[in-house]
Amino acid sequence: ESADEAHNVERPARQQLKKKKPTGVDITELEVGSTVPGTVKSLASYGAFVDIGATTDGLLHISQLSTEFVGDVSDVVKEGQEVQVRIVNVDTTKGQVGLSMITAEEAAASQAAAAEAREARQAARDRRQNNNRRDDSGVLGALKSKGWDTSAMVEGTVVSTVDFGCFVRVDASKLNSECEGEFDGLVHISALRSGRVGSVTDVVSVDDKVQVRVKSIDGTKVSLTMLTEDDENAKAEAAASSGGPVEIEGAKDWKEILVKFDENMPSFQNLAVIEDRRK
């Protein structure tokens, strides 16, 4: 090694370029669940980084600062503060350590309270659904077996509205005197009136008395319309004249006509064209 090379090796700038080896306990030796002392090194909006004497600082997420809501990390910890933290996660692949200032007992109690709150909310939703859900199967089964006039308009009451229509409650005895009880059916937004409807609530509101016609019953699903048969036919004719979807029945012998059409069509062949360019 020459004197110049030796001089270059010993230059301070070269020493600074050398990568420093991390000091401290390797994170593979950290025990999840253990509580260790640490020093807050820096703060971020999402938490604080804590030196726990390992090769990498641990992250104390804002949600792990307290069992109470924390809006600002600096409200709980400051840079340089000595803290006791619990190791909750060690990711050796990513070289990350998760910390918490919440004790294991507090975390268990918080999780139990959260689970209890979720169960209470779900039970409340179930009660609301059960209260709103009607079992109309018996009434509808009787009405379907005894029959009804699909052109008859009867009075019903709007019980709820949704983006795509409204639900109307109807007395089955108005459709067939041999049937008793009420049932709910759906009036689709397209069946509220003949013209275009921008919003269901522009036409009906809850508790409104409306005239409806029962179009079909499929199990417990009832299709209602506020259009008379004449209105419905007129709407279909208008859609057909304006280029709407119309089902047209073709000729019954269309296959034979197509065969004859193909036979009468001239045939074409692509032939190679040879041009003599020797002149």
Side-chain angles (χ1 to χ4, degrees), residues 150-165:
T150 57
S151 65
M153 301 294 292
V154 297
E155 185 180 89
T157 304
V158 178
V159 292
S160 64
T161 61
V162 288
D163 292 341
F164 52 85

Side-chain angles (χ1 to χ4, degrees), residues 17 26 57 64 81 119 131 158 182 223 227 241 267 269 279:
L17 291 176
D26 192 280
D57 292 340
Q64 297 298 315
Q81 181 177 338
E119 290 176 0
N131 290 337
V158 178
E182 295 178 325
S223 175
L227 303 177
S241 62
S267 60
Q269 290 182 331
K279 295 180 181 180

Side-chain angles (χ1 to χ4, degrees):
E1 183 180 41
S2 66
D4 290 339
E5 290 175 340
H7 173 72
N8 289 335
V9 169
E10 297 301 325
R11 289 175 65 185
R14 290 296 180 92
Q15 294 295 333
Q16 293 177 3
L17 291 176
K18 292 181 179 179
K19 187 176 181 181
K20 295 181 179 179
K21 294 183 178 180
T23 58
V25 178
D26 192 280
I27 63 173
T28 58
E29 300 179 23
L30 298 177
E31 183 180 353
V32 175
S34 62
T35 300
V36 296
T39 304
V40 178
K41 302 296 291 183
S42 62
L43 304 182
S45 60
Y46 50 85
F49 289 94
V50 181
D51 180 4
I52 57 173
T55 52
T56 183
D57 292 340
L59 173 62
L60 180 58
H61 193 267
I62 189 171
S63 63
Q64 297 298 315
L65 290 171
S66 171
T67 55
E68 303 295 329
F69 173 76
V70 177
D72 191 332
V73 177
S74 61
D75 291 341
V76 182
V77 293
K78 308 291 182 184
E79 288 187 15
Q81 181 177 338
E82 301 293 329
V83 291
Q84 290 289 321
V85 291
R86 184 166 56 91
I87 301 173
V88 294
N89 180 56
V90 176
D91 189 334
T92 56
T93 303
K94 296 182 179 179
Q96 297 174 347
V97 179
L99 305 175
S100 176
M101 287 176 59
I102 302 172
T103 66
E105 293 76 13
E106 290 173 335
S110 179
Q111 291 174 358
E116 186 177 347
R118 284 195 299 270
E119 290 176 0
R121 289 194 297 269
Q122 183 61 48
R125 283 195 294 267
D126 292 342
R127 285 195 298 271
R128 288 195 299 270
Q129 291 176 358
N130 289 332
N131 290 337
N132 294 332
R133 187 182 297 121
R134 293 170 53 86
D135 184 7
D136 299 332
S137 56
V139 179
L140 295 175
L143 183 60
K144 192 168 184 179
S145 63
K146 295 180 183 298
W148 75 95
D149 183 359
T150 57
S151 65
M153 301 294 292
V154 297
E155 185 180 89
T157 304
V158 178
V159 292
S160 64
T161 61
V162 288
D163 292 341
F164 52 85
C166 69
F167 288 92
V168 178
R169 187 158 296 166
V170 179
D171 185 346
S173 64
K174 295 180 179 179
L175 293 163
N176 190 311
S177 59
E178 298 180 13
C179 297
E180 295 181 355
E182 295 178 325
F183 62 88
D184 293 349
L186 171 65
V187 180
H188 191 265
I189 188 172
S190 61
L192 289 172
R193 65 184 180 195
S194 298
R196 184 181 181 278
V197 177
S199 174
V200 174
T201 53
D202 291 341
V203 183
V204 295
S205 300
V206 175
D207 293 331
D208 280 356
K209 300 294 183 182
V210 294
Q211 293 291 314
V212 294
R213 184 165 56 88
V214 180
K215 295 184 64 178
S216 65
I217 299 175
D218 182 7
T220 57
K221 295 180 180 179
V222 182
S223 175
L224 304 177
T225 179
M226 288 170 58
L227 303 177
T228 65
E229 285 190 332
D230 291 340
D231 291 338
E232 201 168 62
N233 292 333
K235 189 173 183 178
E237 290 174 2
S241 62
S242 63
V246 182
E247 184 177 350
I248 302 176
E249 184 179 355
K252 292 181 171 56
D253 58 346
W254 63 273
K255 290 185 179 180
E256 291 78 5
I257 295 174
L258 183 60
V259 171
K260 291 181 181 179
F261 178 79
D262 289 340
E263 290 176 350
N264 294 329
M265 287 295 292
S267 60
F268 297 91
Q269 290 182 331
N270 290 324
L271 301 176
V273 177
I274 301 175
E275 180 180 357
D276 188 358
R277 294 188 176 184
R278 291 175 297 179
K279 295 180 181 180

